[in-house]
Amino acid sequence: MMIKKECVVIVLIYGETQDVISLNDSLKSNEIDYQIVVVESYSNERNKLKNMQISNSIGADYLCVENRGYGYGNNRGISFARTKYNFEYCIISNADVVVNKIDLSDIPKKNIVI
């Protein structure tokens, strides 16, 4: 059974980063039902373990994929989200983004927002 979410947020990362925590905090302040999918382009085992912990701490899904570029990682995240979630919007974001305000009402559903 697929989980219903208004929005999935695909976040591609490389190396250890805690930026996804700030992104999650900023999304919380907006009135959207979202799920973050962290996609790590593999760098090493230490970073992988740390990024898994960070993802778990914010309730994000975590995928580790081969480091084959930005498009590859995002596509893997989108494919994952399509198998797990029934969503209206998909946002592709870098981890170091802070979302002050998001208004999805002007965006056609099922679009991917970058």
Side-chain angles (χ1 to χ4, degrees):
M1 180 199 266
M2 294 179 71
I3 301 166
K4 181 143 178 65
K5 290 288 178 183
E6 180 179 23
C7 183
V8 293
V9 181
I10 311 298
V11 182
L12 185 67
I13 62 171
Y14 177 79
E16 181 186 334
T17 181
Q18 294 194 16
D19 289 340
V20 71
I21 295 170
S22 298
L23 171 61
N24 183 61
D25 289 344
S26 71
L27 286 168
K28 282 182 192 176
S29 67
N30 289 271
E31 295 180 12
I32 59 171
D33 177 31
Y34 70 94
Q35 177 64 38
I36 293 177
V37 177
V38 173
V39 182
E40 178 181 357
S41 289
Y42 182 80
S43 60
N44 63 52
E45 282 301 306
R46 186 187 68 77
N47 288 341
K48 179 180 175 183
L49 292 174
K50 184 64 177 169
N51 290 324
M52 286 174 64
Q53 291 172 342
I54 291 168
S55 297
N56 287 335
S57 75
I58 63 169
D61 292 308
Y62 173 83
L63 302 174
C64 187
V65 300
E66 291 178 71
N67 185 1
R68 293 178 56 191
Y70 188 76
Y72 176 81
N74 286 328
N75 287 336
R76 291 287 306 273
I78 293 166
S79 293
F80 171 84
R82 284 183 169 158
T83 64
K84 187 171 180 181
Y85 298 102
N86 178 8
F87 57 90
E88 297 178 26
Y89 303 96
C90 181
I91 297 173
I92 308 298
S93 179
N94 289 333
D96 61 350
V97 171
V98 173
V99 179
N100 293 320
K101 180 171 176 25
I102 187 166
D103 182 1
L104 300 173
S105 64
D106 290 334
I107 301 169
K109 293 180 179 181
K110 296 293 183 188
N111 274 9
I112 296 174
V113 181
I114 299 175

